[in-house]
Amino acid sequence: MPYDTLLFEVADRIATITVNRPDKLNALNDTVIRELGQAIDEVRTRADIGGAILTGSGRAFVAGADISGFGSRTPVTAAELARRGQEIFFRYENCAKPVIAAVNGFAMGGGCELAMACHVRLASDSAKFGQPEVKLGLLPGYGGTQRLVHLVGKGRAMQLLLTGETIDATEAARIGLVNRVVPAAELLDAARAMLTAMLANAPLALAACIEAANAAWEVGVREGQLLEAAHFGVLGATSDMREGTAAFLAKRPAVFTGA
Ligand code: COA
């Protein structure tokens, strides 16, 4: 599918989605948001894609929602904007295939929120993170107030939300906002290596892990464990489970088919 504001490349079962408005630091205007939704739907539905890497062109990952469109919003249209972005970011978080954010530069506002909606975050050593919305008289509107609390804890989230401060990649890793920091030149290779390791595993098991781990944010421990047991039951009847266990006992690599 052709995109105006994204690059979408597929190699070795990995889709690389690159937000491509470098002159505006990849700020999220209506077109970018819409195309991000189309891109994750393409990842979800294409059989030749096992997972995705999300990154940005130039010196930013994404510097937030496009501020130039804010002045003309009414309370109703601003709330609609937030709901639309939330729904699309939700699709990233709930994609049954792993999605890694390769944060190559500024991840501010909606950019930090977009990275948080991905399953794993790798950051270049030059990346910067922040939720500066309060400086604009706003709050994060794409799920940031919720995901930040879950990822880094309420106290650290409150500090970032209320100061609007910018933190570097090392600090982001220290507080659990990113999984790992790598030199800028190695970022995409590191993301590809991690995703390749994930894609060597059974696809149905990956999807089940994503769904069960996401449920931990939304349901109680008992309900979450019921879901876990149900997935465990289904996976226990798959060909891939038989292949994985047989391969282990035969001391050979498993070859999974997703069945
Ligand atoms: N929306 C719209 N345009 C944006 C943008 C955003 N969120 N972030 C950056 N840009 C644009 C700038 O207006 C500028 O455009 P111009 O060259 O036409 O003037 C261009 O991107 C480069 O940004 P600039 O501010 O000159 O780069 P910088 O290196 O001095 O600063 C940032 C980088 C990220 C610190 C700064 O751009 C910034 O604070 N951006 C806004 C972050 C934000 O508040 N996001 C939350 C929005 S709700």
Side-chain angles (χ1 to χ4, degrees):
M1 181 185 292
Y3 296 95
D4 290 330
T5 61
L6 307 179
L7 307 175
F8 191 101
E9 296 152 317
V10 181
D12 302 326
R13 302 191 63 232
I14 294 175
T16 302
I17 304 166
T18 307
V19 185
N20 190 32
R21 288 185 80 206
D23 54 323
K24 296 293 177 191
L25 302 187
N26 305 323
L28 302 171
N29 62 14
D30 288 349
T31 309
V32 182
I33 287 283
R34 189 185 70 248
E35 292 192 343
L36 281 170
Q38 291 166 347
I40 198 63
D41 290 347
E42 187 168 349
V43 168
R44 181 174 54 79
T45 53
R46 271 179 60 170
D48 61 327
I49 296 174
I53 295 168
L54 180 61
T55 192
S57 286
R59 63 194 180 92
F61 174 71
V62 164
D66 193 319
I67 297 168
S68 63
F70 279 6
S72 54
R73 301 268 172 198
T74 67
V76 172
T77 61
E80 174 55 28
L81 178 81
R83 274 197 297 272
R84 201 160 137 263
Q86 287 171 1
E87 189 273 321
I88 284 166
F89 286 19
F90 184 84
R91 283 191 237 165
Y92 278 74
E93 185 169 53
N94 288 282
C95 181
K97 300 172 181 178
V99 182
I100 296 179
V103 182
N104 54 300
F106 291 111
M108 309 295 285
C112 189
E113 294 176 284
L114 181 58
M116 288 193 287
C118 297
H119 300 132
V120 168
R121 284 148 295 285
L122 301 184
S124 87
D125 49 12
S126 58
K128 300 262 190 291
F129 297 81
Q131 297 289 167
E133 286 86 349
V134 286
K135 295 175 190 277
L136 303 169
L138 286 167
L139 86 168
Y142 294 156
T145 59
Q146 307 303 298
R147 291 196 180 93
L148 194 58
V149 169
H150 284 296
L151 270 176
V152 306
K154 187 174 168 188
R156 288 163 169 162
M158 284 290 190
Q159 181 180 332
L160 288 170
L161 292 168
L162 300 183
T163 62
E165 69 186 327
T166 301
I167 59 171
D168 64 17
T170 306
E171 176 66 0
R174 191 187 71 79
I175 65 175
L177 182 53
V178 301
N179 297 63
R180 185 145 60 89
V181 182
V182 296
E186 296 168 22
L187 178 65
L188 283 180
D189 281 347
R192 280 189 209 104
M194 182 180 282
L195 192 47
T196 299
M198 292 175 178
L199 298 187
N201 299 320
L204 294 173
L206 295 177
C209 283
I210 290 169
E211 193 172 314
N214 280 338
W217 289 27
E218 292 172 4
V219 303
V221 173
R222 180 173 289 272
E223 290 80 7
Q225 291 194 6
L226 286 171
L227 179 67
E228 183 183 84
H231 279 314
F232 199 87
V234 170
L235 291 174
T238 60
S239 313
D240 277 352
M241 191 284 290
R242 288 191 291 281
E243 164 64 9
T245 50
F248 174 81
L249 295 173
K251 302 188 188 306
R252 64 166 173 83
V255 180
F256 294 116
T257 60

